[in-house]
């Protein structure tokens, strides 16, 4: 690499060997870009992983490979219970592009976390108790290119539900969520999807086992899900989603049906987005809606968001019951490794089986 | 020029899973890639690392530094048609008023900017700056030419950001992906120099100790390939070297026939009449007959033939 630098830079017209810059230029370079939390000349000092883990020892296996260790600690205080709950995540994030003489033919994404929960008031069903360890799969799949230009790909493995805003926003390991898990009853599942980009539209349609983190066949669960939407990089988007499932739960299955609509628009540093979906939870009508306004600074080190969200269901002849919440959150990424987050969730009305008035959530994440 | 390059380096951030985002957030720039290369039927990704050592080396040698955010793994895309490269696509982020703007730059295999497209942009003024006339001026421009454009009067700050991004992209692409691009460039050149058959290249492992110092050839830069037709028939040797010649540093490509005679010397895909003229006397000469040329070109050519020939005789062909 150093040889390449020595070879290339002179021909590119960049001054070399002894052509020192004027002092004012050096001062400009040593200063911080606007909005930087850490002065440029102080960045990287003491960083043991300035460009991530060294993968060269893997030889050819390191070709087109990204690998990161991902560590998180999450702390949540519930004003209703007046108790803390703590979650810890120790895992990895692996991304590999498989490529041949005719080009890329598949990508592999593997994310797994040893997860510890302590005093969790509403643990996912696959945890044995409010205090427990489990291995949790997030994205864990291979995506094969079946047609040229990414028009059609086949994904096999553990995938996130391509429904609504979930398909567009990275909520993997973040405090910020868009309500997929409570709305659909499942956020990720083992199965297959067809996905791709065609005629300016992005789409993904999947069929899953319906049991989430673990493969469970009792009761013949399944999840059929799909979304079609416009390209969000153009500054706005709309999308339509559908979901039909009989989801595994210990000893039973639960039915979910949804049709959803999502849209968003970027306005300078602000983005306004929303999702609404309706359908059935078994015999009950169900409704989910979320609206978010978010802001980012020019360096995208700071990110703030506010949400209003509701999740309600109605038994025949009864009124709507459920949650209506406001959410305020902030994320700060001072460098390429750390992300510090905080979120305040306020129940605007008390829902069934929900004793929380508000909760404050804090998270520290370190990737290297 | 140093001032302009220095200013460019302050404003740019490489794309990738930035600021600790999970890799599920990574997306191939499919839309802009196939808009830029409509004839492409697939693409290849090449992920490489920009290291702290690279940053330190650039800073030590040039008194410049790349931003700390730019370290890590980044992807270069090679659009393909039937397996043949059409060019390069490199998406870079620029800090703007409203967050990061992602610009997808098209480059040729020599690292020259050929076109640009906005992949994601929140800033309407930056969108305006991405006008046809500015992009047309960038067509096939190398870094010195882009830096010359930056010195024009009347540019808006947004236009400077666009031009700066173009120059930075060309520099980083040429540095970080040089070893990956070299075989592709060699393959393209081989097909122009041996048009009778689609060329298949096999790398020759160069014994750099065979090169004598002070002949003008930079031994570390020498690469050679045995060129064969699709039927396996050997067509010749293609070699690349950087040479300090006649007061300038030039990249030379050498076409050598099966008899070990130099057929052609060129400065890549650039037409250089001065190079052709300077080396015309070595055409048709082999190691045995190069002693007849006592000029600087003859010395360089003789050294190249000796070094490459030694490696081939030792059987160091992949």
């Amino acid at each position: 690499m150093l040889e390449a630098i020595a070879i290339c830079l002179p021909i590119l017209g960049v001054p070399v060997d002894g052509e020192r810059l004027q002092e004012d230029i050096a001062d400009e370079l040593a200063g911080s870009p606007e909005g930087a939390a850490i002065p440029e000349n102080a960045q990287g000092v003491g960083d043991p992983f300035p460009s991530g883990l060294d993968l060269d020892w893997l030889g050819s296996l390191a070709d087109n490979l990204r690998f990161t260790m991902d560590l998180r600690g999450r702390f949540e205080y519930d004003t209703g219970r007046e108790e803390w709950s703590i979650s810890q995540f120790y895992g990895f994030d692996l991304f590999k592009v498989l490529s041949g003489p005719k080009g890329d033919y598949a990508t592999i994404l593997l994310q797994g976390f040893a997860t510890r929960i302590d005093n969790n008031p509403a643990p996912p069903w696959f945890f044995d108790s409010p205090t427990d360890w489990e291995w949790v799969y997030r994205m864990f799949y291979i995506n094969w290119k079946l047609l040229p230009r990414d028009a059609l790909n086949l994904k096999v493995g553990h995938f996130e539900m391509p429904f609504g805003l979930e398909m567009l926003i990275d909520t993997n390991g973040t405090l910020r969520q868009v309500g997929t898990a409570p709305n659909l009853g499942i956020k990720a599942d083992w199965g297959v999807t067809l996905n791709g980009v065609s005629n300016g539209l992005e789409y993904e349609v999947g069929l899953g086992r319906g049991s989430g983190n673990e493969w469970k066949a009792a009761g013949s669960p399944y999840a059929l899900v799909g979304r079609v939407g416009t390209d969000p990089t153009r500054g706005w988007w709309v999308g339509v989603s559908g979901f039909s499932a009989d989801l595994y739960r210990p000893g039973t299955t639960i039915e979910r049906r949804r049709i959803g609509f999502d849209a968003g628009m970027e306005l300078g540093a602000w983005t306004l987005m929303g999702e609404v979906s309706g359908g059935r939870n078994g015999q009950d009508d169900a409704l989910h809606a979320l609206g978010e306004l978010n802001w980012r600074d020019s360096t995208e080190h700071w990110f703030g968001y506010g949400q209003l969200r509701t999740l309600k269901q109605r038994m025949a002849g009864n009124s709507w019951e459920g949650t209506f919440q406001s959410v305020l959150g902030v994320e700060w990424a001072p460098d390429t490794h750390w992300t510090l987050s905080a979120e305040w969730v306020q129940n605007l009305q008390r829902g069934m089986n929900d004793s929380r008035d508000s909760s404050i959530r804090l998270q520290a994440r370190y990737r290297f | 020029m140093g001032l302009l390059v220095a200013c460019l380096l302050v404003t740019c951030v490489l794309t990738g899973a930035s600021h600790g985002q999970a890799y599920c957030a990574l997306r191939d720039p499919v839309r802009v890639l196939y808009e830029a290369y409509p004839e492409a039927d697939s693409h290849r990704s090449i992920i490489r690392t920009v290291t702290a050592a690279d940053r330190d080396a650039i800073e030590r040698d040039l008194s410049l530094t790349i931003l700390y955010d730019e370290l890590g793994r980044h992807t270069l895309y090679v659009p393909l048609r039937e397996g043949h490269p059409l060019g390069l696509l490199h998406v870079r982020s620029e800090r703007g008023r409203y967050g990061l703007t992602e610009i997808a730059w098209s480059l040729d295999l020599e690292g020259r900017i050929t076109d640009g497209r906005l992949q994601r942009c929140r800033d309407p003024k930056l969108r305006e700056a991405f006008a046809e006339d500015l992009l047309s001026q960038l067509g096939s421009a190398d870094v010195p030419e882009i830096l010359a454009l930056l010195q024009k009067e009347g540019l808006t700050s947004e236009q400077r950001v666009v031009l700066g991004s173009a120059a930075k992209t060309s520099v980083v692409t040429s540095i970080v992906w040089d070893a990956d691009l070299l075989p592709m460039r060699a393959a393209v050149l081989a097909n122009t120099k041996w048009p009778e058959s689609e060329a298949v290249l096999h790398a020759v492992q160069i014994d750099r100790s065979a090169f004598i110092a002070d002949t003008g050839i930079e031994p570390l830069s020498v690469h050679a390939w045995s060129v064969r037709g699709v039927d396996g028939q050997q067509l010749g040797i293609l070699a690349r070297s950087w040479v300090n010649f006649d007061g300038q540093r030039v990249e030379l490509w050498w076409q050598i026939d099966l008899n070990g005679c130099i057929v052609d010397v060129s400065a890549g895909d650039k037409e250089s009449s001065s190079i052709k003229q300077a080396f015309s006397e070595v055409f048709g000469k082999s190691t045995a007959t190069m002693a007849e040329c006592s000029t600087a070109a003859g010395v360089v050519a003789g050294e190249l033939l000796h070094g490459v020939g030694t490696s081939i005789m030792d059987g160091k062909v992949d």
Side-chain angles (χ1 to χ4, degrees):
Chain A
M1 179 58 67
L2 299 181
E3 298 161 6
I5 295 171
I7 288 169
C8 291
L9 284 171
I11 198 63
L12 297 171
V14 184
V16 297
D17 290 343
E19 295 186 43
R20 311 298 291 187
L21 288 178
Q22 297 168 8
E23 191 170 317
D24 55 346
I25 300 166
D27 287 345
E28 181 175 345
L29 290 173
S32 307
E34 185 179 350
I38 301 172
E40 184 59 30
N41 59 0
Q43 288 211 19
V45 175
D47 185 350
F49 309 105
S51 50
L53 291 172
D54 179 11
L55 303 175
D56 290 343
W57 61 275
L58 290 171
S60 60
L61 287 176
D63 287 348
N64 283 353
L65 175 69
R66 297 175 188 251
F67 183 83
T68 297
M69 300 300 297
D70 191 335
L71 312 175
R72 272 178 291 132
R74 184 178 293 179
F75 309 86
E76 180 170 350
Y77 183 76
D78 181 347
T79 61
R81 295 194 310 150
E82 295 184 350
E83 290 183 10
W84 284 93
S85 64
I86 298 172
S87 303
Q88 303 167 59
F89 308 84
Y90 306 93
F92 66 90
D93 192 353
L94 182 149
F95 179 85
K96 170 88 172 174
V97 179
L98 302 180
S99 198
K102 297 291 188 182
D104 297 348
Y105 60 88
T107 56
I108 295 173
L109 182 59
L110 305 176
Q111 299 169 334
F113 292 84
T115 305
R116 164 80 179 185
I117 57 173
D118 282 271
N119 196 29
N120 191 305
W125 64 265
F126 51 86
F127 283 89
D128 297 329
S129 69
T131 297
D132 190 19
W133 277 100
E134 282 290 342
W135 179 263
V136 177
Y137 295 95
R138 295 195 184 274
M139 306 284 210
F140 206 88
Y141 62 74
I142 182 168
N143 199 22
W144 291 93
K145 296 183 190 294
L146 300 182
L147 289 179
R149 296 174 160 238
D150 269 19
L152 179 65
N153 306 307
L154 172 66
K155 183 183 291 182
V156 179
H158 199 247
F159 60 91
E160 275 190 350
M161 293 290 114
F163 188 95
L165 296 175
E166 192 67 54
M167 193 169 161
L168 302 173
I169 297 169
D170 176 24
T171 62
N172 192 330
T174 62
L175 293 182
R176 178 183 177 226
Q177 298 291 313
V178 292
T180 302
N183 182 31
L184 302 185
I186 192 170
K187 189 178 177 186
D189 200 14
W190 291 100
V192 297
T193 82
L194 294 174
N195 61 86
V197 180
S198 182
N199 294 321
L201 297 176
E202 302 180 342
Y203 71 94
E204 186 163 12
V205 180
L207 177 63
R209 177 70 273 186
S211 57
N213 193 57
E214 299 176 4
W215 183 275
K216 300 285 188 185
S220 300
Y222 77 95
L224 182 63
V225 60
R227 179 184 181 273
V228 177
T230 58
D231 181 357
T233 64
R234 295 191 183 276
W236 63 272
W237 75 87
V238 295
V240 176
S241 306
F243 181 75
S244 175
D246 285 341
L247 301 175
Y248 174 85
R249 291 293 187 268
T252 188
T253 58
I254 59 174
E255 183 188 62
R256 290 277 190 276
R257 305 283 186 266
R258 294 284 192 278
I259 294 291
F261 175 80
D262 65 271
M265 176 179 288
E266 294 173 355
L267 304 159
W270 301 86
T271 301
L272 180 65
M273 66 175 76
E275 172 187 318
V276 60
S277 64
R280 301 188 69 79
N281 292 349
Q283 300 301 314
D284 300 339
D285 296 328
L287 175 69
H288 172 253
L290 179 143
E292 177 181 299
L293 179 66
N294 65 58
W295 171 89
R296 69 208 61 225
D297 77 323
S298 62
T299 66
E300 299 201 9
H301 285 271
W302 287 96
F303 180 78
Y305 58 96
Q307 296 176 345
L308 285 175
R309 61 192 191 198
T310 185
L311 180 63
K312 299 205 183 237
Q313 67 181 50
R314 177 180 66 181
M315 288 188 289
N318 289 354
S319 60
W320 289 97
E321 305 251 351
T323 59
F324 180 40
Q325 298 173 326
S326 66
V327 180
L328 288 177
V330 62
E331 295 176 1
W332 177 43
D335 61 18
T336 55
H337 300 301
W338 285 101
T339 304
L340 306 176
S341 313
E343 188 178 74
W344 172 39
V345 180
Q346 176 67 58
N347 280 311
L348 300 177
Q349 63 182 133
R350 201 174 290 274
M352 277 191 343
N353 301 320
D354 186 356
S355 64
R356 299 180 187 176
D357 291 321
S358 66
S359 63
I360 297 170
R361 310 168 78 206
L362 306 171
Q363 178 170 287
R365 185 177 195 175
Y366 188 75
R367 288 171 59 91
F368 64 96
Chain B
M1 183 178 293
L3 165 63
L4 292 168
V5 173
C7 292
L8 305 178
L9 293 176
V10 174
T11 61
C12 304
V13 175
L14 287 172
T15 56
S18 62
H19 300 319
Q21 271 189 311
Y23 292 147
C24 46
L26 290 173
R27 294 283 186 273
D28 280 351
V30 175
R31 174 176 64 83
V32 291
L33 190 151
Y34 290 104
E35 281 180 0
Y37 295 93
E39 66 275 30
D41 55 21
S42 67
H43 63 273
R44 180 182 302 136
S45 304
I46 308 177
I47 300 175
R48 291 285 175 251
T49 303
V50 178
T51 67
D54 302 330
R55 185 172 184 249
D56 292 344
I58 294 173
E59 183 177 15
R60 183 177 60 244
D61 292 342
L62 308 176
S63 304
L64 306 174
T65 184
I66 58 176
L67 292 180
Y68 189 74
D69 279 355
E70 298 186 78
L71 301 186
R73 304 284 269 178
H74 299 278
T75 305
L76 179 69
Y77 298 95
V78 185
L80 304 169
R81 176 149 189 92
E82 297 178 354
H84 298 292
L86 301 175
L88 307 172
L89 191 92
H90 193 173
V91 182
R92 296 181 54 79
S93 292
E94 306 298 331
R95 288 172 179 159
R97 290 185 296 163
Y98 305 130
L100 299 179
T101 293
E102 295 172 1
I103 303 177
W105 289 108
S106 302
L107 306 95
D108 61 19
L109 296 183
E110 306 299 316
R112 294 182 295 247
I113 297 291
T114 57
D115 197 6
R117 277 174 170 74
L118 290 173
Q119 172 160 268
R120 183 188 288 273
C121 181
R122 294 170 172 265
D123 188 344
K125 284 190 176 181
L126 199 55
R127 283 188 183 277
E128 288 174 10
F130 229 79
E132 282 295 328
D133 57 343
L134 187 67
L135 291 178
S136 64
Q137 294 177 62
L138 280 170
S140 295
D142 56 20
V143 171
E145 291 164 344
I146 298 173
L147 296 180
L149 286 173
L150 267 167
Q151 299 193 42
K152 281 189 172 182
E153 296 287 333
L155 293 176
T156 65
S157 57
E158 287 80 14
Q159 288 174 322
R160 291 184 182 282
V161 168
V162 172
L163 291 173
S165 176
K168 184 68 180 299
T169 302
S170 184
V171 169
V172 175
T173 300
S174 299
I175 290 172
V176 177
W177 284 275
D178 174 66
D180 301 291
L181 297 178
L182 192 56
M184 293 185 219
R185 297 168 62 206
V188 170
L189 272 173
N191 280 307
T192 62
K193 293 184 182 299
W194 287 276
E196 61 270 27
S197 175
E198 184 173 343
V200 179
L201 275 63
H202 300 266
V204 175
Q205 295 177 37
I206 299 297
D207 177 8
R208 292 186 171 81
S209 65
F211 289 91
I212 302 173
D214 299 330
T215 58
I217 290 181
E218 298 178 2
L220 292 177
S221 72
V222 179
H223 293 265
W225 297 266
S226 169
V227 182
R228 302 177 191 218
V230 291
D231 57 359
Q233 180 186 9
Q234 185 144 10
L235 300 175
I237 298 290
L238 181 69
R240 190 290 299 258
S241 69
W242 281 90
V243 175
N244 292 295
F245 182 79
D246 195 23
Q248 56 180 329
R249 188 171 177 269
V250 293
E251 181 187 38
L252 296 180
W253 291 84
W254 310 76
Q255 181 182 4
I256 305 167
D257 67 16
L258 296 176
N259 296 316
C261 298
I262 292 176
V263 176
D264 187 42
V265 180
S266 58
D269 63 348
K270 293 181 184 176
E271 280 300 316
S272 174
S273 57
S274 61
I275 293 294
K276 279 272 194 274
Q277 186 175 4
F279 283 87
S280 60
E281 60 176 338
V282 307
F283 295 166
K285 299 245 182 331
S286 65
T287 304
T289 57
M290 196 61 72
E292 299 169 8
C293 296
S294 58
T295 60
V299 171
V300 170
E303 186 62 16
L304 188 282
L305 285 177
H306 170 73
V308 172
T310 301
S311 299
I312 293 174
M313 285 168 54
D314 289 345
K316 294 176 180 175
V317 178
D318 289 341

